[in-house]
Amino acid sequence: VSLSWQKREISNFDYLMYLNTLAGRSYNDCMQYPVFPWVLADYHSQTLDLTNPHTFRDLSKPMGAQTAERKRKFIQRYNEVEKNLSAQCHYCTHYSSAIIVASYLVRMEPFTQTFCSLQGGSFDVADRMFHSVKSTWDSAARDNMSDVRELIPEFFYLPEFLTNANHFELGRMQDGTVLGDVQLPPWADGDPHQFIHLHRQALESDFVSAHLHRWIDLIFGYKQHGSAAVEAINTYHPYFYGDKMDLNNIKDPLIKSTILGFISNFGQIPKQV
C-alpha cells in the first residue's frame, strides 16, 4: 500500500485511513479515533491559494511547534520538568482524545450525548465549545499551551458536522454570540460543502503529498518516542504511551486504574507502524 501511495495511486485520505487502521484506531472507539492532520494555516483569506506554501501548516512539526515562540516554551517546559509533573515531556495533553472527537462532532448524535456525558451531563462553557475553524486552529497552533489537537477524518468529507441541524442549544459566548453552525473561513463562503471540498483538495494537493510523510513520522513512525521524538519536540506524558507501559507489572491497583483512566480520558499515542 505504501508503494501505491508513493506512486499516488491511492489518495492521501485513503492512505491515512489505512495507517490509522494499522495502528489500531477506528471509528468504533472515541478514545482511539482516527487522527488526521491540520493541513492548512490559512483561515483568513477570501480565496484559498493551494500553490502557495504559506497556505499550509508545517507538516514536519507537531502542533506544539508551529510557531517559534510556542516551540521555545515547550522546550523550556521539557528542560525544566515543572515540579508538578511526574515525568519529563513536552506535552501533558494529547492531539487526539475522546473529548476532542466528541467536541468536533457535538452537533451530531450520538456524539452530542457522548460529549455531554464526558462533560458531566451538560454542554461545556460556550466559549470553550468548538464554534469556529479559525479560532480552533489559532488555539491549537499558537495560543493555548494545553491545546495541541489535530483533526478527525470528518473534516475532509462530512459537511453535516459543521451545521447545527438539530438546533441544540449550545449556549451563548461572552461576546453575546449564540452558538449554532460552526464559523467557517472566508474562503468557504459560509458553505460547509465548499469548506469540505476545498479542505479535501488541500489534503490531496501537491504540497501536502510532498510533505505528509513527515507528519506520519511524528504520529505513526520513528519520531513517536525516544531521542527522535525529543529532537522533534514531540514527547508526551508517559501515560499516553499505553502500549509502552506494561500495566501487568503495576501491582498497585490505584496507580493502575489512574493510568487507565488517564489514557481513556486524555488520549493515547497510536501503535507504531
Side-chain angles (χ1 to χ4, degrees):
V1 175
S2 296
L3 206 57
S4 302
W5 175 62
Q6 285 165 18
K7 292 180 181 168
R8 299 188 75 168
E9 292 166 1
I10 63 172
S11 68
N12 291 337
F13 182 92
D14 287 340
Y15 188 57
L16 287 172
M17 282 307 297
Y18 167 75
L19 290 175
N20 271 288
T21 305
L22 269 189
R25 299 182 85 84
S26 86
Y27 287 119
N28 301 328
D29 184 355
C30 281
M31 295 182 290
Q32 292 205 65
Y33 209 74
V35 56
F36 268 58
W38 288 96
V39 291
L40 293 172
D42 180 354
Y43 298 96
H44 54 268
S45 299
Q46 291 299 323
T47 54
L48 196 59
D49 181 1
L50 296 179
T51 62
N52 180 355
H54 295 295
T55 298
F56 297 92
R57 165 255 179 104
D58 186 341
L59 286 157
S60 69
K61 296 186 174 77
M63 289 304 290
Q66 290 296 310
T67 71
E69 173 64 9
R70 189 168 158 89
K71 178 178 170 181
R72 185 188 64 72
K73 283 183 184 164
F74 279 120
I75 291 172
Q76 190 179 351
R77 171 192 278 178
Y78 181 87
N79 290 335
E80 281 175 3
V81 191
E82 293 167 12
K83 302 291 173 280
N84 60 347
L85 295 182
S86 56
Q88 192 172 34
C89 60
H90 294 108
Y91 314 115
C92 302
T93 54
H94 201 257
Y95 49 77
S96 171
S97 66
I99 194 70
I100 290 170
V101 172
S103 71
Y104 281 145
L105 299 174
V106 70
R107 290 162 179 79
M108 296 171 61
E109 290 290 15
F111 298 98
T112 315
Q113 295 304 318
T114 305
F115 182 82
C116 287
S117 66
L118 288 168
Q119 281 292 338
S122 60
F123 291 121
D124 198 0
V125 176
D127 286 80
R128 287 204 299 259
M129 297 276 286
F130 171 53
H131 65 275
S132 152
V133 178
K134 180 183 186 298
S135 67
T136 304
W137 161 259
D138 288 343
S139 170
R142 188 187 68 212
D143 298 337
N144 185 346
M145 290 290 283
S146 61
D147 183 2
V148 292
R149 79 185 85 175
E150 293 278 7
L151 298 183
I152 53 175
E154 284 82 351
F155 272 85
F156 299 94
Y157 69 83
L158 190 72
E160 286 77 10
F161 87 97
L162 297 164
T163 63
N164 187 20
N166 292 315
H167 306 294
F168 291 121
E169 291 188 14
L170 302 170
R172 182 188 293 267
M173 292 168 63
Q174 282 178 335
D175 65 7
T177 308
V178 175
L179 257 56
D181 297 347
V182 175
Q183 292 167 15
L184 302 174
W187 46 258
D189 295 327
D191 180 353
H193 289 85
Q194 171 84 333
F195 173 82
I196 296 290
H197 172 67
L198 289 171
H199 205 214
R200 183 66 173 262
Q201 272 193 336
L203 178 64
E204 304 301 340
S205 66
D206 289 344
F207 181 90
V208 172
S209 299
H211 296 89
L212 188 57
H213 65 282
R214 296 180 159 199
W215 182 84
I216 289 168
D217 287 341
L218 294 169
I219 307 296
F220 300 106
Y222 77 103
K223 290 183 179 174
Q224 261 193 0
H225 49 80
S227 58
V230 176
E231 207 172 307
I233 305 96
N234 194 43
T235 65
Y236 297 81
H237 192 286
Y239 287 178
F240 291 136
Y241 298 87
D243 62 336
K244 294 278 175 289
M245 299 194 70
D246 190 355
L247 291 171
N248 297 325
N249 283 341
I250 296 171
K251 297 291 179 267
D252 186 326
L254 187 64
I255 294 175
K256 191 183 238 179
S257 70
T258 303
I259 294 172
L260 287 169
F262 192 94
I263 291 167
S264 65
N265 284 316
F266 300 111
Q268 194 172 348
I269 302 285
K271 289 193 187 81
Q272 195 168 355
V273 297

